Amino acid sequence: MVLAHCRVVSFVLLLLLSLVYLNSVRAAEFDLFVTNTTDDDGRPIRTDANVFNCSDQIYTMVSFSSLRETTHVLIVDWIDPSGRQREHTVHNFRYFGNPASIWAWLTLHPPRGAIALRLFNPSVGMREFIGTWTVRVTIDNQFLGRAKFEVLC
């Protein structure tokens, strides 16, 4: 009987903690954009472009505020036109209460042997990268949003 009571209390405590944890992310404010442009300090800046070249370095900028002041995990997944996850970036950070931004980037690399041929045709070895990509962002396993962009060579 005591063991059953302890299990119920433990379950309720875990449920309450998970609700507080989830609400700390849901109550926060987020902004997400994709770009290939940076300022003089190398920080990604918002542009209207959403079509990029195979040789571009492509950035995802995630800005947030009003998170719970604790340690969080940001995950950025880069999904290619076939639906395959190409990159998976995990960033652990501590939020201190002020608006903050974190960015991740994607650089496309042609397969070995295709580099010399790309001098004559930039799309050689890059065909699987051409098309609509999706960036998917989560914080603490809570989906924040996604952005789509095109890669052309």
Side-chain angles (χ1 to χ4, degrees):
M1 172 97 160
V2 172
L3 183 59
H5 180 69
C6 287
R7 285 184 182 163
V8 169
V9 169
S10 296
F11 175 75
V12 170
L13 285 174
L14 283 173
L15 182 62
L16 289 173
L17 285 174
S18 67
L19 288 174
V20 168
Y21 180 74
L22 291 176
N23 286 334
S24 71
V25 174
R26 287 188 184 145
E29 298 173 24
F30 298 98
D31 182 42
L32 163 68
F33 66 86
V34 178
T35 186
N36 65 343
T37 306
T38 59
D39 63 16
D40 292 337
D41 295 323
R43 183 182 174 91
I45 55 176
R46 186 183 301 267
T47 65
D48 291 334
N50 70 343
V51 178
F52 307 112
N53 193 300
C54 286
S55 61
D56 287 341
Q57 190 159 29
I58 304 165
Y59 301 90
T60 295
M61 174 70 91
V62 182
S63 301
F64 45 85
S65 62
S66 304
L67 282 176
R68 198 166 43 111
E69 292 186 32
T70 187
T71 302
H72 298 276
V73 179
L74 173 84
I75 296 176
V76 178
D77 290 320
W78 300 86
I79 301 158
D80 74 10
S82 73
R84 178 178 165 200
Q85 179 181 305
R86 289 293 183 149
E87 294 289 333
H88 177 79
T89 304
V90 177
H91 184 73
N92 296 298
F93 67 98
R94 177 138 180 100
Y95 182 71
F96 292 101
N98 297 321
S101 297
I102 297 175
W103 63 89
W105 62 89
L106 174 71
T107 303
L108 303 175
H109 299 284
R112 295 178 198 263
I115 294 173
L117 295 174
R118 290 191 69 218
L119 294 173
F120 303 106
N121 182 353
S123 66
V124 169
M126 305 296 277
R127 295 214 187 275
E128 62 191 86
F129 300 138
I130 298 171
T132 303
W133 284 69
T134 302
V135 177
R136 186 176 188 277
V137 179
T138 63
I139 288 184
D140 302 332
N141 293 318
Q142 295 298 306
F143 176 74
L144 294 184
R146 68 176 47 105
K148 292 193 178 282
F149 63 93
E150 294 285 324
V151 172
L152 301 176
C153 295

